[in-house]
Amino acid sequence: MHRSRRAISPTFTWGSTMKIRLSIDRFEGDRKQIAVLLTDDGEQINWPKKLLPRGTKAGDILTLILDRDAEATRQVAEQTRKVQDELKETDKGGDIKL
Amino acid sequence: MRSLGLFLLAFEFLVLPVQGQGTAVVEFLDVGQGDAILIRSPEGKAALIDAGPSKEIVPELKRLGIKSIDLAVVSHHHTDHYGGMDDVIRAFHPRVFLDNGSSHTTPNYLKLLRLVRDSGMRVIFAGEASRKIELGSVSLTVLPQPVQKRETLGGEAGPLERRGCYAPSSDCTVFRGNYCL
């Protein structure tokens, strides 16, 4: 009798990274475009089918890895502030008549 | 005197029509999640507060006979309030865009701000003092947000205090983004 070569951990957290095991329960929507994903403890996630690996079907097991990207967050925040500063420079304040 | 009011998550907005003929109309459009509020002055000027979550807002505005928008407002940076605003900007080229100035870090919100910038429309922000906008004979006042709300970066503001002077009546309506009086 063979044992599994590696145990599958339903969820795994390491620093800013989380790894979650999901199963595809079914597809919903007019065009079956929404995949209903389930965590092992029953949490349900509605996920666009177009964002699944090609060939994925109901009953498949997926691994979702979430990683907090601090550098990307900092970049977007900086870019947002830059655009807002540009826009604010054009606002002379005061009341507006339309 | 009629009055309408806006109370937005990241700042407050009070609308006070000045005396005049005709009727100011406020329509709360059914956009599902979020909101989209259309204010029409007796003179036919139009302001749109939020644009719901999707592109469906543009055909709805056209169905209502809107041909131009004088003022477009994003109450705050959640997609159920600004998701349809990019299409509104492309379709109607609003004269003025009012932003709440909140810092937020989603690429989608950044994309909207860049569209606003590149469209060349006039952009105004809520400040620390009240600011009036005359929409024809309808007077809108952008009410300043409490300091602690302005300093909330990218987060959900807490429940906003109901204050007597902002209470709605036949002459006054207040719009508060996620919160209704």
Side-chain angles (χ1 to χ4, degrees):
Chain A
M1 184 176 178
H2 295 281
R3 297 183 63 181
S4 172
R5 289 184 180 176
R6 64 185 177 94
I8 300 173
S9 175
T11 61
F12 176 77
T13 301
W14 179 259
S16 62
T17 301
M18 175 174 256
K19 184 176 174 182
I20 307 166
R21 187 170 72 175
L22 299 164
S23 58
I24 298 194
D25 188 66
R26 63 192 187 278
F27 291 90
E28 293 279 7
D30 298 340
R31 291 169 279 111
K32 302 294 183 189
Q33 73 275 31
I34 302 296
V36 180
L37 311 182
L38 291 179
T39 65
D40 283 17
D41 59 1
E43 293 284 349
Q44 181 173 305
I45 303 168
N46 293 337
W47 187 272
K49 185 180 180 182
K50 67 182 179 183
L51 297 181
L52 287 174
R54 184 174 298 176
T56 304
K57 59 186 184 305
D60 281 358
I61 302 294
L62 303 171
T63 299
L64 178 66
I65 297 174
L66 300 173
D67 184 38
R68 293 185 67 197
D69 191 335
E71 175 57 21
T73 303
R74 189 195 62 75
Q75 286 181 11
V76 173
E78 185 178 301
Q79 291 165 358
T80 301
R81 180 57 59 201
K82 181 172 178 290
V83 175
Q84 284 182 319
D85 287 346
E86 288 175 30
L87 293 172
K88 283 177 180 172
E89 280 184 15
T90 67
D91 183 7
K92 296 181 173 61
D95 297 342
I96 307 287
K97 187 170 185 176
L98 294 172
Chain B
M1 178 179 285
R2 295 176 305 271
S3 53
L4 305 172
L6 276 175
F7 198 160
L8 307 180
L9 257 186
F11 59 92
E12 307 169 28
F13 208 15
L14 179 68
V15 186
L16 299 167
V18 297
Q19 287 182 333
Q21 301 296 316
T23 303
V25 177
V26 179
E27 294 167 88
F28 295 83
L29 309 183
D30 183 2
V31 292
Q33 177 70 25
D35 72 347
I37 303 164
L38 180 64
I39 301 172
R40 289 196 256 198
S41 79
E43 301 79 16
K45 295 186 181 297
L48 181 69
I49 304 162
D50 290 338
S54 71
K55 301 175 185 300
E56 294 166 17
I57 185 70
V58 168
E60 177 65 4
L61 289 169
K62 288 181 176 175
R63 189 186 68 78
L64 292 168
I66 295 297
K67 292 185 170 52
S68 63
I69 292 177
D70 300 276
L71 173 68
V73 181
V74 168
S75 67
H76 63 288
H77 52 245
H78 292 160
T79 54
D80 54 341
H81 294 258
Y82 76 78
M85 191 57 84
D86 56 342
D87 279 346
V88 168
I89 290 170
R90 291 190 187 95
F92 295 102
H93 307 287
R95 293 170 62 191
V96 175
F97 181 84
L98 172 58
D99 185 68
N100 63 22
S102 71
S103 75
H104 195 50
T105 55
T106 64
N108 285 337
Y109 187 61
L110 174 58
K111 195 183 297 182
L112 174 67
L113 288 177
R114 284 177 167 157
L115 175 65
V116 168
R117 178 194 63 189
D118 297 343
S119 72
M121 75 179 80
R122 183 176 181 182
V123 182
I124 61 174
F125 288 83
E128 295 182 359
S130 295
R131 190 168 190 181
K132 291 195 181 302
I133 302 169
E134 286 184 30
L135 184 73
S137 60
V138 176
S139 177
L140 305 96
T141 302
V142 183
L143 302 173
Q145 185 205 8
V147 171
Q148 68 271 21
K149 300 294 190 308
R150 284 199 302 273
E151 292 178 348
T152 300
L153 301 181
E156 183 87 32
L160 299 174
E161 182 183 0
R162 179 193 293 239
R163 278 173 277 186
C165 62
Y166 298 158
S169 69
S170 60
D171 288 337
C172 173
T173 305
V174 182
F175 303 96
R176 306 175 65 192
N178 267 356
Y179 300 95
C180 297
L181 285 174

